[in-house]
Amino acid sequence: MNVQNVGERYYCTICGNEVTVTKVGGGELVCCNQPMELVEEE
């Protein structure tokens, strides 16, 4: 999934790293050799 918006949060299901987007570059976030998952806000 490509980064689309500032403020989105992404999570690695393997190691638990979490990233918050501060600048959109349009690429895909990868951690532990797999795409990170978008955290849906509740």
Side-chain angles (χ1 to χ4, degrees):
M1 172 177 286
N2 288 340
V3 175
Q4 296 181 13
N5 300 302
V6 170
E8 287 180 336
R9 292 185 330 157
Y10 289 83
Y11 176 78
C12 176
T13 58
I14 294 176
C15 72
N17 277 340
E18 192 168 300
V19 174
T20 301
V21 177
T22 59
K23 183 177 180 182
V24 176
E28 181 177 46
L29 295 174
V30 176
C31 188
C32 297
N33 294 319
Q34 74 172 29
M36 296 180 81
E37 292 189 11
L38 178 62
V39 176
E40 297 294 331
E41 299 295 328
E42 295 178 17

